[in-house]
Amino acid sequence: MNIKIFLTGLAFFVLCGLSAQNTFKTRIVDAEIAEPMLGVSVFFPELQIGGTTDDAGRVSITGIADGTHLLRISNVGYETIEKDLSFPLEDDQQDQTIRLHASHEEMDEVVIQSTRSTRSIQDIPTRVEFIAGEELAEKGNMKPGDIRMLLNESTGIQTQQTSATSYNSSIRIQGLDGKYTQLLRDGMPLYSGFSGGLSLMQIAPLDLKQVEVIKGASSTLYGGGAIAGLVNLITKTPGEEKELSFMLNGTSALGLDISGFYSEKYGKVGTTVFASYNKGTPYDPAEIGLTAIPEFDRFTLNPKLFLYLGDDTRMNAGVNIVSERRLGGNLDYVKGEPAEDPYFESNKTDRISTQYQLTSDLSDSVRLEIKNSLNFYDRMVAIPEYSFGGQQFSSFSEINLNWGNSASEWISGLNLWTDQFKQSDGQSAQDLSFSNSTLGAFAQNTWSVSEKWTLESGFRLDYQNEYGWFPLPRLSLMYEPLPQLTFRTGGGLGYKTPTVFSEDAERRQFRNILPLDTEALNAERSVGGNFDINYKVPLTAEIIMSSNVLFFYTQIQDPLVLTPVGSEFEFVQPDGRVDTKGVEVNLKWSYRDLKLFVGYTYADVEEHYNGETSDFPLVAKHRLNNVLMYEKHDNFWIGLEAYYYSPQELSDGSTGQSYWITGVMTEKKLGEHFSVFLNFENFLDTRQTAFDTIYTGSLSDPQFRDIYAPVDGFVVNGGLKWKL
């Protein structure tokens, strides 16, 4: 009898346990396009059970006990959904379709302007990298005065310092010289030739909405100069809500940054205004008597007017004004103290540029765009017993037409560049003045061949008044066998007309540089391509990994090389080429509020001149980018960074040392409108002056070596942000 009672009781408890084990089923779709989403994490954190959606967007989770449990639905780039569910569920709560919305940060990122396509970034064959949203704000906190750090900490990009005392730097993509990268602002070339010399140091990032980078030949849409790639700085536009924000930043090197941004839309009129003041104090952490950070004062003003002339027509016009005085060199002299026979480098610059853009939707499928920019740049650079200066006036005008549908989209247009430089100071026998113009016509088609294949083809024809005709074809192909897996490949031709305004000439302050012999020189021509793989996979219910691997190759024929001729320097073209090849790897792991980014760049850049091969100077063949971030959205974040640079070949034949740069960055929001930030940049105090030299000779007549590592060392900065 006892056995019967025991078995009956056991069966009762088993049945009760089974009845308490519930199943949850749901279907997840993208809220914008209503398509099922693969790999979405559906998780009950208290129970530590969950699953991921299949290719139909469905998931089924069993073993859920009776009671109220928190459900978390998350996916990279989408807003996380959390809600309490009480089990057993009501019938109308089971097997529901749940819509995931892209996060506000990602919504801004997917609108890519550099490709000029109306398609989202996921649907274009051209590989585009972007920095936007909170990542852009984080980088802005660390260097509010310029965009060097914003670019330098990206995989495959290195900002190369060209002056030990003035801090001047240029952009290198995949190891190629800065002159091969085209720098744009809202799709228009404002920083080229002479005006590109100090541009990285004079662009504040705080009015930028996003930064877009296309690596490899991009000449089809943007003409000469985009051999290594392009960087497009996209500024903010008026939103539906008014924005008023201010930032105050100070550094342990006695630097100061004050900036403000205002944006508002009044019916059919809108405006944005950005203003900033940036100040640098002479700083010499190595105590060698030379400035690692020069003294400078810079003022920036960027007002812009937007007119919404109807549902189909929009126009904007703006002006960018930058004025700066920069002085580096002998520390005592820069501070205004007595100094015997001091070395110095002085830069005085004034930049005024205008931008105009008109966009009109002629029909549901046809869009007309007209844009223009005028740029005036005045710079004077002086060193002891020598000064060089001049004024550059350039213009850019374009008209283009975009038409088609989701299956096939076309863009075609005409544009005209004019560029004139008039030397005002320097050696009269070495006048570097010039005037040239380029007329271009282009057409590009993006064709959805099938559900999984997309082809992008383009052709450009330029005519340059000094060097003639340049046909530039380009082709890109995208294959998406699965929603989480994408392959892209592409390539094309590029060119760069000879210019005296290069990194090598900048290092010499343009002293003893002979004018170009346009009859003896040819335009530099390039051919290149890349292939990349994007893959995103949920490793567990809450750990998601996304990866990108890019293989690249670019070859430049007839490279322009600055060569000593007695006491002077002349640009010549040796028999040979420069090529760069390598791989970029980007990995990202996300787990709740933690994110880990790991990037690796291998860049093998070689010079092949007159039958001999050598490594291109100032290229770190191996680079590691590591960032660990803890982030409570819209509340608090803290990040740890570590960057490794392998030894670099130097132009004097020696080899620099490898080094690490580390940093800690943090920000805390105080209430709805205020936040404070604090950053410890390069807290291991990595400096070239700590393990190598930056000059030979005397302090009065220093002969500077290549700068391949930081010279400013450990710097703390922090401040306050206020946003209405």
Side-chain angles (χ1 to χ4, degrees):
M1 185 71 175
N2 290 337
I3 294 177
K4 290 182 179 179
I5 295 174
F6 173 76
L7 292 175
T8 302
L10 180 61
F12 174 78
F13 282 111
V14 169
L15 290 173
C16 288
L18 289 175
S19 66
Q21 300 301 306
N22 301 280
T23 297
F24 174 71
K25 297 180 180 180
T26 190
R27 179 173 178 264
I28 310 297
V29 300
D30 185 295
E32 300 298 321
I33 58 176
E35 292 291 328
M37 297 179 60
L38 172 69
V40 177
S41 169
V42 181
F43 192 66
F44 292 90
E46 299 167 357
L47 304 176
Q48 289 296 300
I49 58 175
T52 56
T53 56
D54 59 20
D55 55 5
R58 296 190 176 277
V59 65
S60 178
I61 304 170
T62 59
I64 304 172
D66 285 350
T68 301
H69 307 294
L70 176 67
L71 170 68
R72 179 183 294 134
I73 302 173
S74 60
N75 194 49
V76 175
Y78 288 80
E79 294 180 350
T80 298
I81 295 177
E82 291 187 346
K83 59 182 179 180
D84 291 320
L85 295 179
S86 296
F87 290 87
L89 293 175
E90 300 291 337
D91 291 341
D92 60 354
Q93 291 182 300
Q94 189 66 270
D95 208 12
Q96 290 183 329
T97 296
I98 299 176
R99 299 175 180 270
L100 278 191
H101 293 268
S103 68
H104 297 300
E105 174 185 350
E106 295 294 329
M107 284 294 289
D108 289 338
E109 294 173 347
V110 297
V111 183
I112 298 297
Q113 298 186 21
S114 298
T115 60
R116 309 198 191 187
S117 172
T118 60
R119 301 181 179 216
S120 67
I121 188 173
Q122 296 90 348
D123 298 326
I124 52 177
T126 299
R127 182 182 188 270
V128 183
E129 301 174 25
F130 50 84
I131 306 170
E134 292 179 349
E135 182 182 1
L136 186 59
E138 293 158 9
K139 301 301 183 186
N141 289 354
M142 301 169 74
K143 286 285 186 183
D146 59 68
I147 62 172
R148 286 173 305 126
M149 181 173 293
L150 186 152
L151 297 172
N152 195 51
E153 296 184 352
S154 300
T155 308
I157 301 178
Q158 182 175 344
T159 56
Q160 174 60 48
Q161 187 168 334
T162 57
S163 171
T165 56
S166 74
Y167 223 20
N168 189 20
S169 303
S170 66
I171 311 171
R172 287 191 168 192
I173 293 180
Q174 296 171 349
L176 294 175
D177 264 349
K179 67 178 179 179
Y180 299 123
T181 297
Q182 197 170 81
L183 185 59
L184 310 172
R185 189 177 187 90
D186 294 320
M188 287 178 261
L190 305 186
Y191 314 98
S192 60
F194 192 42
S195 64
L198 285 165
S199 60
L200 288 187
M201 306 300 304
Q202 297 181 329
I203 301 173
L206 301 178
D207 70 333
L208 299 180
K209 179 174 68 174
Q210 64 194 50
V211 177
E212 302 170 1
V213 180
I214 299 178
K215 296 173 182 175
S218 305
S219 297
T220 299
L221 291 179
Y222 293 98
I227 285 177
L230 65 88
V231 177
N232 196 3
L233 309 174
I234 310 299
T235 56
K236 295 179 180 178
T237 57
E240 294 302 320
E241 296 183 0
K242 171 183 174 181
E243 179 182 347
L244 180 62
S245 59
F246 296 94
M247 172 185 274
L248 175 65
N249 174 70
T251 77
S252 60
L254 302 182
L256 176 67
D257 303 284
I258 304 172
S259 65
F261 177 78
Y262 168 71
S263 169
E264 191 166 4
K265 192 174 180 181
Y266 318 85
K268 294 185 178 297
V269 180
T271 186
T272 62
V273 180
F274 173 72
S276 71
Y277 172 71
N278 308 97
K279 179 178 180 59
T281 302
Y283 183 58
D284 175 25
E287 299 182 350
I288 60 174
L290 292 171
T291 56
I293 298 178
E295 176 184 69
F296 66 88
D297 287 272
R298 180 172 69 251
F299 174 74
T300 303
L301 178 64
N302 296 335
K304 206 167 185 180
L305 176 68
F306 297 79
L307 297 178
Y308 307 93
L309 305 176
D311 295 336
D312 302 327
T313 305
R314 304 164 296 283
M315 188 270 284
N316 67 75
V319 60
N320 307 312
I321 302 171
V322 180
S323 181
E324 182 189 86
R325 303 296 179 262
R326 179 178 293 260
L327 179 62
N330 184 291
L331 185 66
D332 292 335
Y333 175 79
V334 176
K335 287 182 174 181
E337 301 174 359
E340 183 178 352
D341 195 19
Y343 172 83
F344 64 87
E345 181 180 337
S346 169
N347 279 274
K348 299 178 181 180
T349 58
D350 293 290
R351 184 194 306 270
I352 301 175
S353 61
T354 64
Q355 293 173 271
Y356 170 83
Q357 185 174 15
L358 173 70
T359 304
S360 179
D361 297 325
L362 304 181
S363 69
D364 292 340
S365 59
V366 181
R367 185 183 65 204
L368 174 69
E369 183 180 48
I370 301 172
K371 52 187 179 180
N372 170 265
S373 68
L374 304 174
N375 315 288
F376 174 78
Y377 183 69
D378 187 1
R379 178 184 177 191
M380 173 75 72
V381 53
I383 58 176
E385 301 180 356
Y386 177 75
S387 63
F388 178 83
Q391 297 79 42
Q392 179 185 2
F393 181 80
S394 61
S395 70
F396 172 78
S397 303
E398 178 178 295
I399 180 170
N400 68 69
L401 200 64
N402 184 302
W403 75 96
N405 50 42
S406 59
S408 179
E409 182 180 14
W410 285 89
I411 180 167
S412 62
L414 297 170
N415 42 36
L416 173 67
W417 288 266
T418 66
D419 195 2
Q420 176 180 308
F421 173 72
K422 184 173 179 57
Q423 182 174 315
S424 59
D425 288 79
Q427 296 154 301
S428 57
Q430 298 170 353
D431 190 350
L432 304 182
S433 301
F434 67 86
S435 178
N436 57 47
S437 61
T438 305
L439 178 65
F442 62 89
Q444 179 174 284
N445 172 254
T446 305
W447 175 33
S448 298
V449 181
S450 67
E451 183 179 350
K452 297 182 178 181
W453 291 90
T454 305
L455 177 67
E456 190 172 81
S457 55
F459 182 79
R460 180 184 192 89
L461 183 64
D462 278 359
Y463 177 76
Q464 209 270 353
N465 65 310
E466 292 281 358
Y467 297 96
W469 296 92
F470 298 93
L472 303 169
R474 183 173 174 272
L475 196 68
S476 296
L477 182 66
M478 181 177 72
Y479 174 54
E480 190 175 11
L482 299 170
Q484 73 272 27
L485 178 64
T486 306
F487 299 91
R488 285 182 173 90
T489 186
L493 304 183
Y495 77 98
K496 173 71 176 175
T497 55
T499 176
V500 296
F501 298 112
S502 66
E503 293 178 22
D504 291 332
E506 183 79 41
R507 290 190 187 97
R508 294 170 173 81
Q509 294 82 32
F510 308 100
R511 188 176 189 178
N512 296 323
I513 305 294
L514 294 174
L516 297 175
D517 185 352
T518 55
E519 294 184 0
L521 297 175
N522 299 313
E524 302 176 73
R525 296 178 182 263
S526 73
V527 58
N530 53 53
F531 171 73
D532 80 303
I533 306 168
N534 286 279
Y535 184 58
K536 183 176 74 173
V537 59
L539 301 179
T540 69
E542 289 199 293
I543 300 177
I544 299 174
M545 185 193 78
S546 57
S547 63
N548 175 267
V549 180
L550 169 71
F551 300 91
F552 61 86
Y553 177 79
T554 300
Q555 180 184 114
I556 302 173
Q557 294 287 347
D558 296 324
L560 208 62
V561 179
L562 190 60
T563 304
V565 181
S567 61
E568 298 174 324
F569 294 87
E570 180 182 15
F571 282 99
V572 300
Q573 291 176 311
D575 181 21
R577 68 183 190 278
V578 170
D579 58 39
T580 179
K581 53 185 177 295
V583 61
E584 297 177 22
V585 180
N586 288 283
L587 302 174
K588 176 183 176 181
W589 289 269
S590 301
Y591 174 72
R592 297 188 182 180
D593 298 323
L594 282 173
K595 297 178 182 177
L596 175 64
F597 303 85
V598 177
Y600 168 71
T601 305
Y602 171 75
D604 183 14
V605 190
E606 293 181 328
E607 302 171 319
H608 305 268
Y609 297 153
N610 302 317
E612 297 183 359
T613 300
S614 60
D615 288 335
F616 198 82
L618 295 173
V619 176
K621 187 167 289 190
H622 304 278
R623 280 187 59 194
L624 277 175
N625 299 25
N626 307 280
V627 180
L628 178 62
M629 183 72 65
Y630 173 79
E631 181 178 359
K632 279 292 191 182
H633 182 65
D634 211 26
N635 181 19
F636 170 76
W637 58 261
I638 183 171
L640 175 64
E641 301 180 316
Y643 301 92
Y644 169 76
Y645 293 76
S646 67
Q648 303 174 43
E649 297 297 318
L650 308 183
S651 57
D652 61 7
S654 62
T655 303
Q657 296 191 31
S658 62
Y659 58 90
W660 284 87
I661 300 177
T662 54
V664 174
M665 49 188 176
T666 181
E667 181 174 350
K668 176 71 172 86
K669 194 164 184 179
L670 305 175
E672 187 177 352
H673 301 295
F674 288 91
S675 64
V676 293
F677 59 91
L678 184 65
N679 304 298
F680 299 86
E681 183 63 26
N682 195 356
F683 62 76
L684 294 181
D685 198 26
T686 298
R687 287 181 289 109
Q688 185 169 330
T689 47
F691 50 77
D692 204 342
T693 59
I694 64 170
Y695 76 97
T696 59
S698 66
L699 196 61
S700 298
D701 185 24
Q703 306 301 309
F704 289 104
R705 303 179 64 223
D706 291 335
I707 306 301
Y708 65 89
V711 293
D712 52 351
F714 175 38
V715 176
V716 181
N717 80 285
L720 174 71
K721 294 197 294 187
W722 177 72
K723 184 175 181 180
L724 180 62

PDB file of all heavy atoms in Angstrom, residues 415-428:
ATOM      1  N   ASN A 415      31.624  67.727 -63.705  1.00  0.00           N
ATOM      2  CA  ASN A 415      32.171  68.620 -62.701  1.00  0.00           C
ATOM      3  C   ASN A 415      33.434  69.301 -63.213  1.00  0.00           C
ATOM      4  O   ASN A 415      34.080  68.836 -64.154  1.00  0.00           O
ATOM      5  CB  ASN A 415      32.425  67.922 -61.355  1.00  0.00           C
ATOM      6  CG  ASN A 415      33.028  66.550 -61.508  1.00  0.00           C
ATOM      7  OD1 ASN A 415      33.837  66.308 -62.393  1.00  0.00           O
ATOM      8  ND2 ASN A 415      32.650  65.637 -60.636  1.00  0.00           N
ATOM      9  N   LEU A 416      33.746  70.412 -62.566  1.00  0.00           N
ATOM     10  CA  LEU A 416      34.871  71.244 -62.975  1.00  0.00           C
ATOM     11  C   LEU A 416      35.640  71.674 -61.740  1.00  0.00           C
ATOM     12  O   LEU A 416      35.060  72.201 -60.781  1.00  0.00           O
ATOM     13  CB  LEU A 416      34.378  72.484 -63.732  1.00  0.00           C
ATOM     14  CG  LEU A 416      35.450  73.534 -64.074  1.00  0.00           C
ATOM     15  CD1 LEU A 416      36.438  72.990 -65.100  1.00  0.00           C
ATOM     16  CD2 LEU A 416      34.792  74.831 -64.566  1.00  0.00           C
ATOM     17  N   TRP A 417      36.961  71.413 -61.754  1.00  0.00           N
ATOM     18  CA  TRP A 417      37.869  71.913 -60.720  1.00  0.00           C
ATOM     19  C   TRP A 417      38.739  73.019 -61.314  1.00  0.00           C
ATOM     20  O   TRP A 417      39.241  72.875 -62.438  1.00  0.00           O
ATOM     21  CB  TRP A 417      38.826  70.826 -60.223  1.00  0.00           C
ATOM     22  CG  TRP A 417      38.258  69.753 -59.389  1.00  0.00           C
ATOM     23  CD1 TRP A 417      38.200  69.694 -58.036  1.00  0.00           C
ATOM     24  CD2 TRP A 417      37.708  68.516 -59.849  1.00  0.00           C
ATOM     25  NE1 TRP A 417      37.634  68.517 -57.617  1.00  0.00           N
ATOM     26  CE2 TRP A 417      37.318  67.774 -58.724  1.00  0.00           C
ATOM     27  CE3 TRP A 417      37.491  67.976 -61.124  1.00  0.00           C
ATOM     28  CZ2 TRP A 417      36.744  66.510 -58.820  1.00  0.00           C
ATOM     29  CZ3 TRP A 417      36.905  66.732 -61.220  1.00  0.00           C
ATOM     30  CH2 TRP A 417      36.545  66.020 -60.083  1.00  0.00           C
ATOM     31  N   THR A 418      38.950  74.054 -60.565  1.00  0.00           N
ATOM     32  CA  THR A 418      39.984  75.031 -60.909  1.00  0.00           C
ATOM     33  C   THR A 418      40.868  75.216 -59.685  1.00  0.00           C
ATOM     34  O   THR A 418      40.383  75.181 -58.543  1.00  0.00           O
ATOM     35  CB  THR A 418      39.388  76.385 -61.315  1.00  0.00           C
ATOM     36  OG1 THR A 418      38.745  76.983 -60.187  1.00  0.00           O
ATOM     37  CG2 THR A 418      38.395  76.226 -62.455  1.00  0.00           C
ATOM     38  N   ASP A 419      42.156  75.395 -59.906  1.00  0.00           N
ATOM     39  CA  ASP A 419      43.098  75.513 -58.797  1.00  0.00           C
ATOM     40  C   ASP A 419      44.212  76.467 -59.214  1.00  0.00           C
ATOM     41  O   ASP A 419      44.859  76.265 -60.251  1.00  0.00           O
ATOM     42  CB  ASP A 419      43.676  74.134 -58.452  1.00  0.00           C
ATOM     43  CG  ASP A 419      44.374  74.127 -57.107  1.00  0.00           C
ATOM     44  OD1 ASP A 419      44.385  75.173 -56.431  1.00  0.00           O
ATOM     45  OD2 ASP A 419      44.914  73.071 -56.722  1.00  0.00           O
ATOM     46  N   GLN A 420      44.414  77.481 -58.400  1.00  0.00           N
ATOM     47  CA  GLN A 420      45.435  78.486 -58.703  1.00  0.00           C
ATOM     48  C   GLN A 420      46.199  78.814 -57.436  1.00  0.00           C
ATOM     49  O   GLN A 420      45.612  79.091 -56.388  1.00  0.00           O
ATOM     50  CB  GLN A 420      44.787  79.744 -59.274  1.00  0.00           C
ATOM     51  CG  GLN A 420      45.759  80.883 -59.535  1.00  0.00           C
ATOM     52  CD  GLN A 420      45.071  82.107 -60.088  1.00  0.00           C
ATOM     53  OE1 GLN A 420      44.333  82.027 -61.062  1.00  0.00           O
ATOM     54  NE2 GLN A 420      45.295  83.245 -59.464  1.00  0.00           N
ATOM     55  N   PHE A 421      47.533  78.802 -57.514  1.00  0.00           N
ATOM     56  CA  PHE A 421      48.385  79.169 -56.384  1.00  0.00           C
ATOM     57  C   PHE A 421      49.329  80.270 -56.828  1.00  0.00           C
ATOM     58  O   PHE A 421      49.986  80.152 -57.863  1.00  0.00           O
ATOM     59  CB  PHE A 421      49.185  77.962 -55.889  1.00  0.00           C
ATOM     60  CG  PHE A 421      50.204  78.322 -54.832  1.00  0.00           C
ATOM     61  CD1 PHE A 421      49.805  78.665 -53.557  1.00  0.00           C
ATOM     62  CD2 PHE A 421      51.561  78.334 -55.133  1.00  0.00           C
ATOM     63  CE1 PHE A 421      50.737  79.008 -52.586  1.00  0.00           C
ATOM     64  CE2 PHE A 421      52.503  78.668 -54.176  1.00  0.00           C
ATOM     65  CZ  PHE A 421      52.093  79.006 -52.893  1.00  0.00           C
ATOM     66  N   LYS A 422      49.381  81.323 -56.031  1.00  0.00           N
ATOM     67  CA  LYS A 422      50.287  82.441 -56.319  1.00  0.00           C
ATOM     68  C   LYS A 422      51.236  82.604 -55.142  1.00  0.00           C
ATOM     69  O   LYS A 422      50.814  82.917 -54.025  1.00  0.00           O
ATOM     70  CB  LYS A 422      49.503  83.726 -56.563  1.00  0.00           C
ATOM     71  CG  LYS A 422      50.400  84.903 -56.953  1.00  0.00           C
ATOM     72  CD  LYS A 422      49.584  86.111 -57.344  1.00  0.00           C
ATOM     73  CE  LYS A 422      50.474  87.292 -57.719  1.00  0.00           C
ATOM     74  NZ  LYS A 422      51.409  86.965 -58.817  1.00  0.00           N
ATOM     75  N   GLN A 423      52.497  82.383 -55.385  1.00  0.00           N
ATOM     76  CA  GLN A 423      53.510  82.484 -54.333  1.00  0.00           C
ATOM     77  C   GLN A 423      53.781  83.951 -54.014  1.00  0.00           C
ATOM     78  O   GLN A 423      54.008  84.765 -54.905  1.00  0.00           O
ATOM     79  CB  GLN A 423      54.797  81.791 -54.781  1.00  0.00           C
ATOM     80  CG  GLN A 423      55.904  81.798 -53.743  1.00  0.00           C
ATOM     81  CD  GLN A 423      57.092  80.965 -54.182  1.00  0.00           C
ATOM     82  OE1 GLN A 423      56.922  79.847 -54.669  1.00  0.00           O
ATOM     83  NE2 GLN A 423      58.292  81.506 -54.013  1.00  0.00           N
ATOM     84  N   SER A 424      53.766  84.273 -52.723  1.00  0.00           N
ATOM     85  CA  SER A 424      54.027  85.645 -52.288  1.00  0.00           C
ATOM     86  C   SER A 424      55.362  85.789 -51.574  1.00  0.00           C
ATOM     87  O   SER A 424      55.932  86.882 -51.552  1.00  0.00           O
ATOM     88  CB  SER A 424      52.901  86.122 -51.361  1.00  0.00           C
ATOM     89  OG  SER A 424      52.794  85.269 -50.223  1.00  0.00           O
ATOM     90  N   ASP A 425      55.854  84.720 -50.967  1.00  0.00           N
ATOM     91  CA  ASP A 425      57.140  84.733 -50.268  1.00  0.00           C
ATOM     92  C   ASP A 425      57.911  83.481 -50.642  1.00  0.00           C
ATOM     93  O   ASP A 425      57.324  82.439 -50.917  1.00  0.00           O
ATOM     94  CB  ASP A 425      56.958  84.789 -48.746  1.00  0.00           C
ATOM     95  CG  ASP A 425      56.463  86.132 -48.268  1.00  0.00           C
ATOM     96  OD1 ASP A 425      55.253  86.368 -48.405  1.00  0.00           O
ATOM     97  OD2 ASP A 425      57.278  86.932 -47.782  1.00  0.00           O
ATOM     98  N   GLY A 426      59.214  83.569 -50.615  1.00  0.00           N
ATOM     99  CA  GLY A 426      60.056  82.442 -50.950  1.00  0.00           C
ATOM    100  C   GLY A 426      61.211  82.899 -51.821  1.00  0.00           C
ATOM    101  O   GLY A 426      61.537  84.097 -51.892  1.00  0.00           O
ATOM    102  N   GLN A 427      61.824  81.950 -52.481  1.00  0.00           N
ATOM    103  CA  GLN A 427      62.952  82.271 -53.351  1.00  0.00           C
ATOM    104  C   GLN A 427      62.426  82.588 -54.745  1.00  0.00           C
ATOM    105  O   GLN A 427      61.761  81.760 -55.374  1.00  0.00           O
ATOM    106  CB  GLN A 427      63.928  81.090 -53.378  1.00  0.00           C
ATOM    107  CG  GLN A 427      64.557  80.837 -51.993  1.00  0.00           C
ATOM    108  CD  GLN A 427      65.002  79.395 -51.819  1.00  0.00           C
ATOM    109  OE1 GLN A 427      64.188  78.482 -51.920  1.00  0.00           O
ATOM    110  NE2 GLN A 427      66.279  79.202 -51.541  1.00  0.00           N
ATOM    111  N   SER A 428      62.726  83.794 -55.220  1.00  0.00           N
ATOM    112  CA  SER A 428      62.155  84.258 -56.487  1.00  0.00           C
ATOM    113  C   SER A 428      62.554  83.368 -57.659  1.00  0.00           C
ATOM    114  O   SER A 428      61.800  83.216 -58.625  1.00  0.00           O
ATOM    115  CB  SER A 428      62.588  85.700 -56.758  1.00  0.00           C
ATOM    116  OG  SER A 428      64.010  85.805 -56.775  1.00  0.00           O
TER     117      SER A 428
END
